[in-house]
């Protein structure tokens, strides 16, 4: 495009996540904000999270070590969460149950041949390429190379998204999957050290030991402030994010102490979401922080 956008509907955002609820925790306010502005928001979820812990009394029978039906239940939770965020375009990579939740490293689930961690990278990326070429997003959001905290499915989602974007931009690659498309900016989810440290301190003032963490540096998902490049203010959409979190009831204890204490801290705990620019050119920044405030900043 040769001129600045005047129609927000021209903007398209694609998020690639590993399990239902990852999108709401990491990007719920961002998704709701852009959806409300008329941006086309697309979510691709790579597994149904079959290995997740069931937090709802009475639904324990859905767990992987019981009836093994948690995935279909979490698909319904995801649909409800997306309705809360105003996102109408959400898809499962390759269709329902194409790839199974891999569980954590070293578990039996991680050795299953049908789990996402064991998926052939080209096979999985080949399923994402047509989505990229259909949606034609200018901006893509996913995890960093460590998946935030080392979960194998998060790492694999990063790999699949990265590979698929390269393939989608190659005109010679599988023209049957649609016309080539080059994404302008790729962001990784990020949690700046200063923000996490402040949150821990304020929660301790409320009487929480933050799961026994002694130092912010003990948390694997924390990144130095200088690595962060964008902060999206979605505080106006915190109610939508909280509704989406409640929709993921088997995974998020909305009545638990962490949820209650973080709510006491205020809307900032849920409404500001942070990113690291992994590819593309940064746009104008907030002079107070040095961070972009819009993931589409600088694009024309």
């Amino acid at each position: 495009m040769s001129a600045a956008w005047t129609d927000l509907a021209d903007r398209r955002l694609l998020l690639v996540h590993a399990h239902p609820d990852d999108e709401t925790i990491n990007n719920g306010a961002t998704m709701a904000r852009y959806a409300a502005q008329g941006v086309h928001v697309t979510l691709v979820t790579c597994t149904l999270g079959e290995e997740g812990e069931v937090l709802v009394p009475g639904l324990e029978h859905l767990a992987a070590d019981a009836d093994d039906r948690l995935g279909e239940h979490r698909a319904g939770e995801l649909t409800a969460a997306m309705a809360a965020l105003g996102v109408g375009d959400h898809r499962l990579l390759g269709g329902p149950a194409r790839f199974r939740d891999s569980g954590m490293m070293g578990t039996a689930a991680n050795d299953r041949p049908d789990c996402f961690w064991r998926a052939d990278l080209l096979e999985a990326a080949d399923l994402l390429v047509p989505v990229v070429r259909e949606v034609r997003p200018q901006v893509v959001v996913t995890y960093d190379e460590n998946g935030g905290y080392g979960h194998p499915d998060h790492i694999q989602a990063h790999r699949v998204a990265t590979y698929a974007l390269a393939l989608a931009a190659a005109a010679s690659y599988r023209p049957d999957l649609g016309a080539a498309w080059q994404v302008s900016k790729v962001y990784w989810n990020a949690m700046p050290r200063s923000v996490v440290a402040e949150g821990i301190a304020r929660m301790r003032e409320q009487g929480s030991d933050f799961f026994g963490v002694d130092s912010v540096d003990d948390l694997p998902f924390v990144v130095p402030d200088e690595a962060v490049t964008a902060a999206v203010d979605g505080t106006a959409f915190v109610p939508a994010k909280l509704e989406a979190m409640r929709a993921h009831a088997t995974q998020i204890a909305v009545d638990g102490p962490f949820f209650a204490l973080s709510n006491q801290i205020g809307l900032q705990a849920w409404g500001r979401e942070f990113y690291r620019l992994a590819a593309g050119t940064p746009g104008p920044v907030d002079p107070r922080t040095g961070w972009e405030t819009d993931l589409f900043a600088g694009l024309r």
Side-chain angles (χ1 to χ4, degrees):
M1 299 179 214
S2 58
W5 285 319
T6 57
D7 185 358
L8 290 175
D10 288 338
R11 301 186 179 190
R12 299 174 298 279
L13 171 67
L14 171 65
L15 302 99
V16 181
H17 274 289
H19 317 104
D21 83 348
D22 291 331
E23 80 298 322
T24 297
I25 294 169
N26 287 283
N27 314 115
T30 299
M31 296 170 72
R33 169 182 156 174
Y34 283 126
Q37 290 177 348
V39 175
H40 186 101
V41 179
T42 300
L43 169 69
V44 173
T45 308
C46 298
T47 81
L48 287 174
E50 295 89 344
E51 297 295 329
E53 182 181 0
V54 180
L55 301 180
V56 177
L59 294 181
E60 296 93 341
H61 63 93
L62 298 175
D65 59 359
D67 294 347
D68 197 15
R69 295 180 54 197
L70 181 58
E72 61 188 86
H73 185 87
R74 291 188 71 178
E77 292 183 338
L78 178 60
T79 297
M82 292 305 95
L85 298 179
V87 175
D89 186 6
H90 57 97
R91 316 176 189 202
L92 297 171
L93 185 65
R98 176 63 178 266
F99 301 108
R100 185 180 173 91
D101 183 351
S102 307
M104 296 301 292
M105 295 290 194
T107 64
N110 198 240
D111 291 328
R112 289 181 56 133
D114 60 343
C115 77
F116 190 46
W117 178 246
R118 304 291 171 185
D120 179 82
L121 182 56
L122 178 57
E123 175 190 352
D126 204 46
L127 296 170
L128 186 57
V129 169
V131 178
V132 175
R133 290 181 170 179
E134 173 200 341
V135 174
R136 302 170 77 81
Q138 294 93 1
V139 177
V140 171
V141 171
T142 190
Y143 311 96
D144 64 19
E145 65 269 53
N146 190 46
Y149 65 97
H151 193 295
D153 285 337
H154 290 212
I155 296 171
Q156 186 76 325
H158 161 84
R159 292 172 175 171
V160 168
T162 302
Y163 195 20
L165 294 181
L167 295 175
S172 61
Y173 180 74
R174 294 288 303 274
D176 59 303
L177 297 179
W181 177 254
Q182 176 70 55
V183 170
S184 297
K185 299 170 85 173
V186 178
Y187 287 95
W188 295 342
N189 295 311
M191 282 302 299
R193 187 185 188 283
S194 64
V195 172
V196 177
E198 179 185 2
I200 291 175
R202 295 182 67 181
M203 288 187 71
R204 283 178 174 160
E205 291 173 1
Q206 299 288 335
S208 171
D209 66 356
F210 201 81
F211 307 112
V213 173
D214 293 324
S215 167
V216 65
D217 297 312
D218 294 333
L219 298 170
F221 54 82
V222 172
V223 301
D225 282 30
E226 56 268 25
V228 176
T229 60
V232 174
D233 183 358
T235 52
F237 300 94
V238 167
K241 179 171 180 173
L242 296 183
E243 183 181 348
M245 293 176 76
R246 291 186 180 94
H248 289 294
T250 62
Q251 305 303 300
I252 302 174
V254 295
D255 296 322
F258 174 78
F259 195 92
L261 284 167
S262 58
N263 278 348
Q264 292 177 32
I265 292 174
L267 296 181
Q268 184 173 326
W270 299 112
R272 293 181 70 212
E273 294 169 344
F274 302 90
Y275 302 90
R276 174 182 175 186
L277 185 65
T281 302
V285 301
D286 182 339
R288 297 169 300 173
T289 63
W291 296 338
E292 296 173 300
T293 60
D294 179 5
L295 302 184
F296 293 87
L299 299 186
R300 302 181 71 83

